[in-house]
Amino acid sequence: MKSNWKRKTALFLSSQTISLLGSMLVQYAITWHITLETQSGIMMTISILCGFLPTLLISPFAGVWADRYNRKMLIVLSDSFIAVSTLALAILFLLGYDAIWLLFLASSLRSLGAGVQTPAVGAFLPQIVPEDKLTRINGLNSSIQSLVTLVSPLLSGALMSVSTIDSIFFIDVFTAAIAVSILLFFLNVPKHAKAIENDEISYFAEMKEGVKYIYHHSFINNIFIHCAIYYVLISPLCFLTPLQVTRSFGDDVWRLTVIEVTFSIGMIFGGIIIASWGGFKNRLHTMALSFLVIAVCTTTLGAIPSFPMYSIIMAFIGVMLPIFNTPFTVLLQEKVEEDYMGRVFGVLSMISSSVMPLAMLAFGPLADFVKIEWLLIVTGLLMLIQGVLMIRSKTLYQAGKPVQADKNIRKD
């Protein structure tokens, strides 16, 4: 049993919540600034690429680092790097240098930091949380993050209405400093076994071991294939709905705020539901239920002419996302051996950071010629088909069984 795990978990989640608040304020500020200033699908695509491609480039190395170095210090260093990048952007904007390309550059640098942080966070949580508590803690963390996502657009919109964008950048620097201080001075977690070893690291050899590990575990490579397809199909929902709202309902900041708020409220309830309920006995059934509901809602977003109804559907999507993401994350944390945890989450980060930008290379420019409503209808219908295929997968069904019934199964 992990000692003092509740205190350690509370400290870690607190630091990540504070850091997330600042990051979300910057994310909304950058996205809305570009959306409202350009109203261009191509410019939005460039912004998305800048936010994802650096993560793709750094993730193979970040996965190895998460398996070989102190994960807490990796999180501290990545948070600090993001804060310094944001500070530089804030100073430039304060001095009057407010070109759009600076936002693209800042997004790229922040993406590098996130690429290091993501696999480290994914691998760090099982170090401090007992295995039988992972679903509850991941669900609780999802609700906390959703609450931050709920508050962030309200704060960001209010700040953008009464002050300049650089003030939001300075807030992010301040929150990052608090988060780093909590990790450095209050959270004491021993290094994991691999981090204690002093063996010389061969990055490419260890990357190869990680890829080989994934290849020989049919559950992992199967679910990663589904994830890649999922990221393609969900790209218009994730990135083009603000542009759809601007074009179809009006270019008011409050409309963008409303859809983010309703979505976040849904995610808060979704996290609470999965944390208290725990999902179906077989985790695959929980994931599939969420997947199918999201698919129906995505299709519906392309056919609704009413903004209030549009906002309600966004709330339903918000409810369903934690009900998919939580059992998915817990499955990886349960099934993957600790020595490979960082590399597995690194590959997952690579998939998300490469597939979605590549998809937006098509969807972004296409959105300037084809109605976004049609893109949502088509991708929603394709997601329905994928959801059915996921349910029928014997490999995923076997992996989704309770840990007690499948404790010794690592390879399918």
Side-chain angles (χ1 to χ4, degrees):
M1 179 65 66
K2 298 175 172 66
S3 60
N4 299 322
W5 72 269
K6 290 184 179 179
R7 177 181 177 275
K8 293 176 181 178
T9 301
L11 286 171
F12 179 67
L13 295 185
S14 296
S15 72
Q16 293 305 290
T17 299
I18 294 169
S19 176
L20 178 65
L21 175 61
S23 295
M24 292 297 290
L25 290 176
V26 172
Q27 178 181 323
Y28 284 116
I30 291 176
T31 300
W32 291 354
H33 185 81
I34 294 173
T35 300
L36 296 173
E37 289 294 319
T38 68
Q39 294 193 26
S40 167
I42 292 177
M43 295 299 283
M44 287 298 297
T45 301
I46 294 173
S47 175
I48 292 165
L49 289 173
C50 290
F52 280 93
L53 287 182
T55 298
L56 169 65
L57 297 176
I58 200 71
S59 288
F61 301 96
V64 175
W65 295 336
D67 283 336
R68 294 294 254 162
Y69 295 126
N70 188 326
R71 290 163 182 163
K72 187 186 81 170
M73 292 308 301
L74 284 175
I75 297 169
V76 167
L77 291 173
S78 59
D79 257 343
S80 301
F81 176 79
I82 293 172
V84 170
S85 302
T86 307
L87 177 61
L89 179 65
I91 293 173
L92 288 172
F93 265 66
L94 192 63
L95 294 174
Y97 300 98
D98 57 357
I100 293 293
W101 70 265
L102 285 174
L103 297 178
F104 294 156
L105 176 61
S107 294
S108 299
L109 294 176
R110 291 171 61 84
S111 178
L112 281 175
V116 175
Q117 189 177 38
T118 299
V121 170
F124 183 75
L125 202 55
Q127 279 185 241
I128 58 177
V129 178
E131 190 174 88
D132 63 335
K133 306 296 183 183
L134 281 172
T135 297
R136 179 179 298 178
I137 295 302
N138 277 289
L140 178 62
N141 188 34
S142 177
S143 289
I144 294 172
Q145 291 181 349
S146 301
L147 180 60
V148 173
T149 307
L150 169 63
V151 174
S152 297
L154 297 174
L155 289 177
S156 187
L159 288 170
M160 290 182 72
S161 300
V162 300
S163 64
T164 55
I165 192 174
D166 53 81
S167 64
I168 300 177
F169 299 153
F170 281 113
I171 291 173
D172 182 41
V173 176
F174 179 69
T175 55
I178 295 176
V180 167
S181 298
I182 291 174
L183 292 179
L184 283 177
F185 302 117
F186 297 99
L187 182 61
N188 182 24
V189 178
K191 298 178 182 178
H192 58 287
K194 278 286 185 179
I196 299 174
E197 298 177 4
N198 294 318
D199 298 341
E200 184 177 345
I201 297 177
S202 173
Y203 287 107
F204 292 102
E206 299 217 8
M207 287 179 202
K208 184 178 179 180
E209 283 185 18
V211 172
K212 185 177 179 181
Y213 178 85
I214 293 172
Y215 177 79
H216 287 292
H217 288 67
S218 57
F219 152 66
I220 302 176
N221 59 56
N222 194 307
I223 197 65
F224 277 9
I225 289 172
H226 276 286
C227 274
I229 298 171
Y230 173 72
Y231 286 138
V232 171
L233 298 179
I234 206 172
S235 293
L237 174 65
C238 291
F239 298 118
L240 294 179
T241 45
L243 190 58
Q244 179 195 12
V245 169
T246 300
R247 290 177 178 177
S248 301
F249 300 110
D251 60 355
D252 307 292
V253 173
W254 72 266
R255 294 185 188 275
L256 299 178
T257 304
V258 166
I259 63 170
E260 295 295 343
V261 167
T262 54
F263 178 79
S264 300
I265 290 174
M267 286 197 68
I268 291 172
F269 281 104
I272 293 172
I273 289 170
I274 194 64
S276 57
W277 168 39
F280 294 118
K281 189 174 181 181
N282 189 305
R283 298 197 195 281
L284 173 64
H285 295 159
T286 310
M287 294 164 60
L289 170 67
S290 171
F291 199 98
L292 292 172
V293 173
I294 291 174
V296 172
C297 289
T298 301
T299 302
T300 306
L301 286 180
I304 289 182
S306 165
F307 182 71
M309 288 300 299
Y310 186 98
S311 302
I312 292 173
I313 295 300
M314 288 297 289
F316 274 104
I317 294 174
V319 170
M320 287 298 126
L321 275 177
I323 295 176
F324 177 87
N325 293 335
T326 299
F328 170 71
T329 302
V330 172
L331 269 178
L332 289 181
Q333 292 170 339
E334 288 176 343
K335 299 287 181 178
V336 176
E337 297 169 23
E338 185 181 27
D339 289 349
Y340 294 91
M341 192 81 71
R343 277 166 285 184
V344 169
F345 276 99
V347 170
L348 179 61
S349 180
M350 286 177 61
I351 293 172
S352 64
S353 61
S354 60
V355 173
M356 296 183 85
L358 288 174
M360 285 305 297
L361 284 175
F363 287 125
L366 193 61
D368 287 337
F369 302 98
V370 177
K371 291 183 68 174
I372 296 174
E373 285 80 358
W374 282 109
L375 296 179
L376 292 173
I377 290 172
V378 171
T379 52
L381 292 175
L382 291 175
M383 286 170 64
L384 277 173
I385 296 173
Q386 186 189 356
V388 173
L389 294 176
M390 183 182 296
I391 293 174
R392 300 185 63 177
S393 171
K394 294 181 179 179
T395 299
L396 296 183
Y397 176 82
Q398 182 69 21
K401 289 181 178 179
V403 174
Q404 292 80 2
D406 194 30
K407 190 75 176 178
N408 297 320
I409 294 180
R410 287 285 182 178
K411 291 187 179 182
D412 296 326

